[in-house]
Amino acid sequence: AVSPSDQTVSVARGGMAPSLVVFLANEGGHLGAAMRLGRIIRQLGANTAVPGICASACIYAFAGGSRRIGTPDSRFGLHPARRGDGRGGSVAEDEQIALMRYEYLEEMGVAPNLVTWEGELSSNQVYWLTAGEAQGVQLTNLLLAAEEVPLPPGD
């Protein structure tokens, strides 16, 4: 088993923790992996930024940032969890996943009513948060103009 401190060392190349993780266009992924990544980002004390699109599981990785930077053009998309085969789970599975999401968001300092909003959506529906909604639930806790997001050279 790999301890969280071992994961941190493997992510922080050359002993230097990243100061910023930028999600430019991420429309999904594995919820559990996104939460693990979010916890590693938080352990590193890194900030996250979305000057583009972050939807589905991406939101949970983004939530790990100490400072979570959005821009007026950032787009955050919510949808209900689906299994790898694209189907929803049983009621018990859906409740367990909702509880896991709720606890994670609370741990990250994000209002967990995102989970309630996801639960109100149909299986193929995506709800795009406004910049005001993202700030209201503390998904973003810093709003910058797109040109103010400190991207690495060449991006």
Side-chain angles (χ1 to χ4, degrees), residues 9 20-21 43 55 63 68 80 89 120 122 125-126 145 152:
V9 170
L20 179 66
V21 178
Q43 285 178 331
R68 297 175 297 279
E120 294 171 353
S122 65
Q125 187 179 9
V126 176

Short mmCIF file of all heavy atoms in Angstrom, two decimals, residues 9 20-21 43 55 63 68 80 89 120 122 125-126 145 152:
data_model
loop_
_atom_site.label_atom_id
_atom_site.label_comp_id
_atom_site.label_asym_id
_atom_site.label_seq_id
_atom_site.Cartn_x
_atom_site.Cartn_y
_atom_site.Cartn_z
N VAL A 9 5.32 12.55 -2.52
CA VAL A 9 6.71 12.57 -2.99
C VAL A 9 6.76 12.22 -4.47
O VAL A 9 7.48 12.85 -5.24
CB VAL A 9 7.58 11.60 -2.16
CG1 VAL A 9 8.95 11.44 -2.79
CG2 VAL A 9 7.70 12.10 -0.73
N LEU A 20 0.66 25.48 -8.82
CA LEU A 20 -0.60 25.65 -9.53
C LEU A 20 -0.85 24.47 -10.46
O LEU A 20 0.04 24.05 -11.19
CB LEU A 20 -0.57 26.94 -10.36
CG LEU A 20 -1.80 27.28 -11.19
CD1 LEU A 20 -2.99 27.57 -10.28
CD2 LEU A 20 -1.53 28.47 -12.08
N VAL A 21 -2.05 23.93 -10.40
CA VAL A 21 -2.49 22.88 -11.32
C VAL A 21 -3.62 23.49 -12.14
O VAL A 21 -4.59 23.98 -11.59
CB VAL A 21 -3.00 21.64 -10.56
CG1 VAL A 21 -3.50 20.59 -11.54
CG2 VAL A 21 -1.91 21.07 -9.66
N GLN A 43 -2.66 18.25 -0.22
CA GLN A 43 -1.47 17.94 0.60
C GLN A 43 -0.27 18.76 0.15
O GLN A 43 0.55 19.15 0.97
CB GLN A 43 -1.13 16.45 0.52
CG GLN A 43 -2.03 15.57 1.32
CD GLN A 43 -1.63 14.11 1.16
OE1 GLN A 43 -1.10 13.70 0.14
NE2 GLN A 43 -1.90 13.32 2.18
N ALA A 55 -15.58 19.53 -16.08
CA ALA A 55 -16.89 18.92 -15.87
C ALA A 55 -16.74 17.55 -15.24
O ALA A 55 -15.67 16.93 -15.30
CB ALA A 55 -17.64 18.80 -17.21
N ALA A 63 -11.40 20.80 -6.85
CA ALA A 63 -11.78 21.19 -5.48
C ALA A 63 -10.63 21.02 -4.49
O ALA A 63 -10.65 21.60 -3.41
CB ALA A 63 -13.00 20.41 -5.01
N ARG A 68 -8.84 28.12 -5.40
CA ARG A 68 -9.50 27.54 -6.57
C ARG A 68 -9.91 28.70 -7.49
O ARG A 68 -10.88 29.39 -7.23
CB ARG A 68 -10.68 26.69 -6.13
CG ARG A 68 -10.22 25.50 -5.28
CD ARG A 68 -11.36 24.68 -4.73
NE ARG A 68 -12.23 25.39 -3.81
CZ ARG A 68 -11.97 25.60 -2.50
NH1 ARG A 68 -10.85 25.14 -1.97
NH2 ARG A 68 -12.82 26.26 -1.75
N PRO A 80 -24.96 13.55 -12.83
CA PRO A 80 -24.99 12.40 -11.91
C PRO A 80 -23.88 11.40 -12.25
O PRO A 80 -23.45 11.30 -13.40
CB PRO A 80 -26.36 11.77 -12.15
CG PRO A 80 -27.16 12.78 -12.88
CD PRO A 80 -26.18 13.65 -13.62
N GLY A 89 -26.20 3.48 -11.13
CA GLY A 89 -26.14 2.35 -10.21
C GLY A 89 -27.49 2.11 -9.54
O GLY A 89 -28.49 2.75 -9.87
N GLU A 120 -30.46 16.04 -8.72
CA GLU A 120 -31.70 16.50 -9.36
C GLU A 120 -31.67 16.40 -10.88
O GLU A 120 -32.66 16.65 -11.54
CB GLU A 120 -31.98 17.95 -8.94
CG GLU A 120 -32.27 18.10 -7.45
CD GLU A 120 -32.33 19.54 -6.98
OE1 GLU A 120 -32.00 20.46 -7.78
OE2 GLU A 120 -32.69 19.76 -5.81
N SER A 122 -31.22 14.50 -14.63
CA SER A 122 -31.45 13.21 -15.27
C SER A 122 -30.09 12.62 -15.66
O SER A 122 -29.08 13.33 -15.70
CB SER A 122 -32.36 13.36 -16.49
OG SER A 122 -31.71 14.13 -17.49
N GLN A 125 -28.10 14.48 -18.36
CA GLN A 125 -28.14 15.93 -18.30
C GLN A 125 -26.88 16.49 -17.65
O GLN A 125 -26.37 15.92 -16.69
CB GLN A 125 -29.38 16.36 -17.50
CG GLN A 125 -29.65 17.83 -17.48
CD GLN A 125 -30.92 18.16 -16.68
OE1 GLN A 125 -31.48 17.30 -16.01
NE2 GLN A 125 -31.35 19.39 -16.78
N VAL A 126 -26.38 17.60 -18.18
CA VAL A 126 -25.25 18.32 -17.59
C VAL A 126 -25.76 19.71 -17.23
O VAL A 126 -26.43 20.36 -18.03
CB VAL A 126 -24.06 18.43 -18.56
CG1 VAL A 126 -22.94 19.26 -17.94
CG2 VAL A 126 -23.55 17.06 -18.95
N ALA A 145 -9.33 37.53 -14.20
CA ALA A 145 -9.50 37.62 -15.65
C ALA A 145 -8.64 36.52 -16.26
O ALA A 145 -7.60 36.15 -15.71
CB ALA A 145 -9.06 38.99 -16.15
N PRO A 152 1.92 28.29 -17.35
CA PRO A 152 3.34 28.05 -17.64
C PRO A 152 3.70 28.64 -19.02
O PRO A 152 2.85 28.77 -19.88
CB PRO A 152 3.46 26.54 -17.67
CG PRO A 152 2.22 26.01 -17.02
CD PRO A 152 1.18 27.07 -17.18
#
